[in-house]
Amino acid sequence: MIDLDLSPRYEAFRDECRTWLLDNKPDRALESMDTPGGFEQHREWERVLFDGGWSVPAWPAVYGGRDCDLMEWLIYEEEYWSSGVPGRVSANGVSLLAPTIFNFGTTEQRDHFLPRMAAGTDIWAQGWSEPDAGSDLAAIKTRAIRDGDQFVINGQKTWCSRGAWADWIFCIVRTDADAERHRGLTYLLVPADAPGLERRPIGRLDGEPGFAEIFFDDCRVSVDNALGEEGQGWAVAMAAAGSERGLNLRSPGRFMAAAERLRVLATELQSSGDRIDCRLRDEVTDAWIRSEAYRWQTYFTASRLMEGDELGSEASLMKVFWSEMDLELHATAMRLLGDRGELAPDAPDSVDRGAWLDGYVFALSGPIYAGTNEIQRNIIAERVLGLPRR
Amino acid sequence: MRFSFSAEQDMFRDTVRDLLADRCSPGAIRASWDEDGRVAGLWAALGEVGLTAVLAPESVGGLAMKEIDLVRPIEEVGYAGVPEPLAEHAGVAVPALAEGGSPGLAEAAAAGEITCSIGLGAGGRYVLAAEIADLLVMERSGELYAVPSGVITLTPQPSVDQSRRLCEVDFDVADATPLVGADPGVASDRAVLFAAAQCLGVARRLLDATVEYVGTRHQFGKPVGSYQAVKHQLSDVRIATEFAAPLVYRAAWSIAAESTTTLDRRRDVSMAKAVASDAVDRACRVALQCHGAIGYTIEYDLQLWLKRGWALSSAWGDARFHRDRVSESLGI
Ligand SMILES: Cc1cc2nc3c(=O)[nH]c(=O)nc-3n(C[C@H](O)[C@H](O)[C@H](O)COP(=O)(O)OP(=O)(O)OC[C@H]3O[C@@H](n4cnc5c(N)ncnc54)[C@H](O)[C@@H]3O)c2cc1C
C-alpha cells in the first residue's frame, strides 16, 4: 500500500523530537569532535541525548532506546539534522558495531556493551584498515594468536577515526596465522587502555588530529572479547557492512538539512546583491532535488525492510549516491561563495564561520571511506547487475 | 507513511508487462512502421486488461484508480517501446474527458473503443498519433477541448523515432466541445508524470539490454562486461534509475493526494521529470557506448529505445525546463 502522508502518530512523534531537540540544543557550537577537547564536549552531548532518551531511539528500551520503528527513526534523523544540534561522536559504534552486536553478540556482551555505548560511556572507534589493507580488507596482517584464555595481538591499524581518544576499538584481526585472505579472521573488541596498545594521532586534511594509527605489541585481550565465532570475522563484519554504506550511516535528514542550508545561502547571497548565474542556480536546485531523491528512495527502501526484506548489495547504490550528492552540494556552496570560499573560520569575511569549507573538506572523504566508490561500483556491477567478475 | 506497492498493484503491472512482452515485440514495432503505426490488436488487448480505464470513474465504466496505480504500467509501456499513444490516452485524455463533463466520450475512451491523444500548452506542441486518433484533447487559451478527428487540420512533423508520428494540429474551437471542469494544469502535470514514467522504463530497458550484451560479447578473450570501465558506466545508470524511480512514484502520489497543494504537485512532478530525463539521457549514452558499432545500426533493436529515449527526455519539458520550475518554487 502507498500512503505518503504521515499519520497523526508519526506527526506527534515528529513534534516530540523537534521540541526536545530545540529545548536541549547547546547554547554554543561545540569544538570539532576530531580534537581532544571537542571529543569530550561531544561525549557530554551524548550523555544529554541519553538522559533524554534520544541517543539510540531505534534500540530496544532495555538497552537505552525507545523501540522506534524505521519510519520513526528516519523522522528523528530529519529533525536531528534540521535542528542544528551537534554531530554524533558515537556514530561509528552506533551505526556499525551495534548492529553486529545485536546480530552476533552473546547476552553478556549485549548487556555490557550496548547500554554503555548508548550513554556515551564507551565511545568506539573502527580498527579495520591497515597500511597494506585498504580496499583489499582481506589482506590484513594484524595477528591475534590464542594463548590460553587470551589473544595476543601484534600488528598495526591505521586511519582509525578518533581512535586516539576512543575508549574501545572494534577490530578485525587474523587469528589463524596459516589461513589466507577471508579465512581465519576474527572480530575482536579491544579496550584502548589494554597494555601493549599504543596510538598516535595523524592530522587529517582539515588539520585536525582525527585519524589515529594503532600499534599492537603483545597486546593481550580476553577471548571473551571476540564478537561472533573465532575464525568467522569476515562474515561477522560483512553482515553489517550494508549498515555502514546504507541508511544507518547516512540517513536522508543530514542531506535534506544541508540542501536547505544551501538554498538559504543562495537566496541570501541573491538578496545581498550577488548575481547567481543560471548554471549555479541549477546546481543549487539539483542538490535540493537529489536530497529529495535520496529521501524518497530511503522511504521506499525502509518500507521494504519493514516488511521483512533485507538490504543487500543495494546499500552500495546508496553509498555512491549520498557521498557524491554531498560532495556536489558542498562544491556548489564553494562556487557560490566565490573568493570567500577559501576563508578560514577566523577570517573577518568568512561566511558561517567557515562551515561550508569544513563541510566541503569532509565531503571529499565520502567517496573514500566506508568502501571507496570504485569498489561500490564494482559491487553494483557484479552483485546487483550480475556482470562477470573477470 | 508507507511506500510499497500492494500485491494487486504488482499483479496489474506484471499483467501489462507480460502482455507487452508477448504482443509488442521489437518485430511487431518494426512491422507497425509499414502500416498506420499501430500494433495490430494491441490496443484492444490493453483495453481488455483495463489499462485504458484506470483513471476513469466507475460511472463511466472505469476502475476509479489513481495515478499511482497507472505509473508503473506506463513505465512498462516505455520498457516495451509501445508505439501507441497510451500514456496520452490513459494517463491524460481519459481523466480529462471524465472530469470535463463528457461521460459518453469518457466511457468510450475508458473502454478502449476509441483512441485519444493530447495537445497541451507547454511541451505539447506536436501531437503524437494525431493521424490515427479518433479524438484529441486540446488546450486553447487555458481551456481544454474535446476535438473530434473530423475537424482538425494536420501538418506532419516527422520524428527521429519512427514510432512517434507527430503532427501540428489546427482546429476551430467552434467545432470542439469545451471540457468544463477539467483542469489544464492537472492535465499537463499528468502528461509530464507519464512521460517521466516512460523515461524510466526506457532507461531500464536500455540497461537490461546492455547488461545482457556485454555479458556475452567477448574481446581480448573475455566478456567486455568484465572490464571496469564498462562496469562502472553501467553501475551509474543503475544508480540513476534507482534514485529517479521513487521521485516518479512520489509525484504520481502527489497528483491525487488531498494533502498536496497545486504548487507541491507541480514541483513534485517537475522533480520527477528532471531526474527521469537525466536518467534516460545517461542510459542512452552508456548503452550505445557499451555496444560499440552494433548499437549504431538501424538493424539492431537498440535503436528503438535510444530514439525513444532521446525523444522522451525532452518531450513535455526537458530536465533544464523542469529544474527551472523547481528553482522558482524554491525561491531561487
Ligand atoms: C575520513 C576517513 C575516515 C576513515 N575512518 C576509518 C576508520 O575509522 N577505521 C578504519 O578502519 N578505516 C577508516 N578509513 C579508511 C578507509 O576505510 C580506507 O581509506 C578505504 O577502505 C580505502 O582504502 P585506502 O585508503 O587504503 O585506498 P586504496 O585501497 O589503496 O585505494 C586507492 C585507490 O585505488 C582504488 N582501488 C583500489 N582497489 C580497487 C579495485 N579493485 N578496483 C578499482 N579501484 C580500486 C580505490 O578506489 C582508490 O581510488 C577512513 C578513511 C577516511 C578517508
Side-chain angles (χ1 to χ4, degrees):
Chain A
M1 196 198 65
I2 296 190
D3 179 359
L4 304 186
D5 290 328
L6 283 189
S7 64
R9 178 170 77 87
Y10 285 141
E11 287 287 6
F13 177 82
R14 187 188 284 285
D15 285 343
E16 192 188 351
C17 289
R18 181 176 301 175
T19 308
W20 189 89
L21 286 162
L22 294 178
D23 286 350
N24 290 275
K25 181 176 171 173
D27 317 328
R28 289 182 301 115
L30 308 187
E31 286 168 54
S32 161
M33 69 169 89
D34 294 305
T35 59
F39 185 85
E40 289 308 321
Q41 290 175 5
H42 280 79
R43 188 201 294 275
E44 281 164 34
W45 169 243
E46 289 294 323
R47 185 77 212 184
V48 175
L49 284 168
F50 176 74
D51 289 340
W54 289 108
S55 71
V56 285
W59 289 12
V62 285
Y63 301 118
R66 52 170 75 209
D67 292 297
C68 283
D69 68 24
L70 202 42
M71 289 300 167
E72 287 172 321
W73 181 74
L74 290 169
I75 293 167
Y76 159 81
E77 285 276 307
E78 287 179 12
E79 291 307 315
Y80 191 93
W81 294 103
S82 68
S83 69
V85 295
R88 300 297 302 272
V89 71
S90 65
N92 276 356
V94 171
S95 68
L96 190 51
L97 172 62
T100 314
I101 295 184
F102 278 117
N103 267 336
F104 296 95
T106 60
T107 311
E108 291 75 26
Q109 286 173 329
R110 288 185 200 184
D111 291 349
H112 178 74
F113 289 121
L114 293 172
R116 295 170 62 88
M117 192 190 302
T121 314
D122 294 338
I123 308 273
W124 288 82
Q126 177 191 11
W128 291 14
S129 302
E130 296 184 4
D132 290 332
S135 298
D136 186 10
L137 188 61
I140 59 171
K141 292 182 193 149
T142 297
R143 287 191 190 178
I145 301 305
R146 194 159 174 160
D147 179 21
D149 56 3
Q150 289 191 316
F151 285 115
V152 184
I153 317 173
N154 280 287
Q156 183 193 342
K157 295 289 176 184
T158 190
W159 319 133
C160 184
S161 293
R162 292 171 289 284
W165 322 293
D167 307 287
W168 281 78
I169 302 168
F170 54 101
C171 299
I172 306 176
V173 292
R174 195 165 291 286
T175 42
D176 180 349
D178 299 327
E180 284 186 11
R181 307 282 305 159
H182 310 82
R183 285 180 292 274
L185 301 175
T186 298
Y187 200 114
L188 199 57
L189 308 178
V190 183
D193 60 1
L197 186 156
E198 293 282 337
R199 37 195 184 162
R200 182 180 82 87
I202 304 176
R204 298 199 320 194
L205 196 55
D206 60 6
E208 308 296 6
F211 278 145
E213 284 180 304
I214 315 282
F215 300 95
F216 300 96
D217 182 11
D218 283 337
C219 172
R220 287 178 174 267
V221 300
S222 160
V223 292
D224 295 338
N225 286 16
L227 184 57
E229 277 177 51
E230 188 176 334
Q232 294 299 311
W234 186 262
V236 174
M238 288 307 123
S243 333
E244 184 181 25
R245 291 171 191 146
L247 68 173
N248 263 8
L249 182 67
R250 291 290 180 259
S251 72
R254 175 194 280 257
F255 306 109
M256 289 162 60
E260 178 57 16
R261 280 203 311 279
L262 184 71
R263 186 188 74 78
V264 170
L265 176 69
T267 53
E268 282 174 0
L269 290 174
Q270 266 171 335
S271 53
S272 66
D274 282 25
R275 210 184 80 80
I276 293 176
D277 67 24
C278 58
R279 196 157 182 150
L280 209 42
R281 178 178 182 245
D282 250 19
E283 285 184 26
V284 174
T285 300
D286 206 43
W288 205 87
I289 294 177
R290 286 215 230 178
S291 76
E292 283 290 300
Y294 189 59
R295 176 194 197 188
W296 292 103
Q297 193 272 358
T298 300
Y299 277 125
F300 201 52
T301 305
S303 298
R304 197 155 63 73
L305 299 182
M306 285 172 81
E307 284 162 13
D309 245 9
E310 281 181 23
L311 190 62
S313 309
E314 293 96 336
S316 294
L317 298 164
M318 304 182 86
K319 201 272 150 155
V320 174
F321 191 85
W322 65 249
S323 57
E324 295 182 358
M325 154 174 71
D326 196 35
L327 185 47
E328 288 308 322
L329 189 159
H330 283 90
T332 298
M334 298 306 284
R335 282 190 278 273
L336 278 173
L337 292 172
D339 51 11
R340 281 174 294 174
E342 68 172 301
L343 296 182
D346 49 355
D349 278 2
S350 94
V351 176
D352 290 341
R353 282 191 283 98
W356 288 108
L357 178 59
D358 279 351
Y360 176 63
V361 174
F362 183 60
L364 282 167
S365 68
I368 302 175
Y369 66 77
T372 71
N373 285 11
E374 287 73 30
I375 297 296
Q376 305 305 333
R377 286 186 164 91
N378 291 348
I379 295 174
I380 295 164
E382 289 163 16
R383 302 199 206 140
V384 180
L385 297 176
L387 288 170
R389 289 186 74 111
R390 46 176 58 88
Chain B
M1 164 70 70
R2 213 170 131 202
F3 198 1
S4 60
F5 288 94
S6 66
E8 292 77 37
Q9 285 168 323
D10 283 347
M11 220 155 72
F12 188 43
R13 192 260 321 260
D14 294 347
T15 305
V16 172
R17 172 188 289 172
D18 295 346
L19 181 89
L20 292 175
D22 186 34
R23 305 286 288 263
C24 189
S25 64
I29 295 170
R30 286 174 184 273
S32 78
W33 296 344
D34 302 329
E35 306 291 325
D36 60 357
R38 308 203 72 155
V39 174
L42 184 61
W43 196 262
L46 289 166
E48 252 163 57
V49 299
L51 193 62
T52 47
V54 174
L55 295 188
E58 278 167 9
S59 56
V60 298
L63 299 173
M65 297 200 282
K66 300 206 163 128
E67 286 78 3
I68 192 76
D69 301 292
L70 189 59
V71 68
R72 289 189 312 164
I74 295 296
E75 197 178 325
E76 295 302 323
V77 166
Y79 191 91
V82 175
E84 311 242 4
L86 250 178
E88 291 74 7
H89 176 100
V92 187
V94 165
L97 292 170
E99 289 155 6
S102 281
L105 293 173
E107 187 163 354
E113 287 159 9
I114 58 171
T115 300
C116 304
S117 189
I118 57 172
L120 308 178
R125 177 153 163 216
Y126 306 120
V127 177
L128 182 68
E131 288 150 321
I132 53 115
D134 305 295
L135 185 76
L136 300 180
V137 170
M138 301 291 294
E139 183 181 347
R140 276 289 182 281
S141 334
E143 305 288 341
L144 292 179
Y145 293 90
V147 191
S149 59
V151 305
I152 55 178
T153 320
L154 299 179
T155 311
Q157 299 276 4
S159 160
V160 64
D161 177 352
Q162 292 186 72
S163 291
R164 284 173 59 83
R165 301 200 174 180
L166 304 175
C167 287
E168 265 180 295
V169 174
D170 204 16
F171 69 98
D172 189 338
V173 286
D175 300 328
T177 314
L179 293 172
V180 182
D183 181 343
V186 175
S188 153
D189 287 344
R190 286 184 179 128
V192 174
L193 167 72
F194 291 115
Q198 289 180 85
C199 286
L200 208 54
V202 172
R204 285 189 166 145
R205 179 64 173 248
L206 286 164
L207 179 61
D208 286 355
T210 310
V211 165
E212 193 182 327
Y213 181 76
V214 301
T216 50
R217 166 77 177 169
H218 280 61
Q219 286 293 282
F220 303 99
K222 50 184 188 170
V224 292
S226 64
Y227 296 108
Q228 276 191 0
V230 169
K231 281 182 176 162
H232 288 194
Q233 292 189 57
L234 291 169
S235 295
D236 283 338
V237 176
R238 183 65 178 76
I239 292 166
T241 58
E242 175 77 15
F243 288 89
L247 280 189
V248 174
Y249 305 154
R250 154 82 195 167
W253 161 266
S254 291
I255 286 187
E258 278 167 24
S259 55
T260 40
T261 64
T262 306
L263 277 180
D264 291 342
R265 188 190 75 212
R266 175 135 296 186
R267 187 181 69 198
D268 288 350
V269 163
S270 281
M271 288 203 290
K273 183 62 167 55
V275 294
S277 287
D278 283 345
V280 78
D281 282 346
R282 182 172 284 261
C284 286
R285 289 272 192 101
V286 168
L288 177 55
Q289 183 63 25
C290 294
H291 272 82
I294 190 144
Y296 203 74
T297 64
I298 55 167
E299 270 127 56
Y300 197 68
D301 287 333
L302 194 72
Q303 69 133 335
L304 304 184
W305 287 276
L306 288 177
K307 292 174 179 173
R308 187 66 52 84
W310 302 341
L312 286 174
S313 155
S314 52
W316 302 106
D318 63 8
R320 271 191 92 81
F321 172 88
H322 286 288
R323 219 175 267 122
D324 195 53
R325 278 211 326 206
V326 178
S327 297
E328 266 167 41
S329 83
L330 294 178
I332 39 177

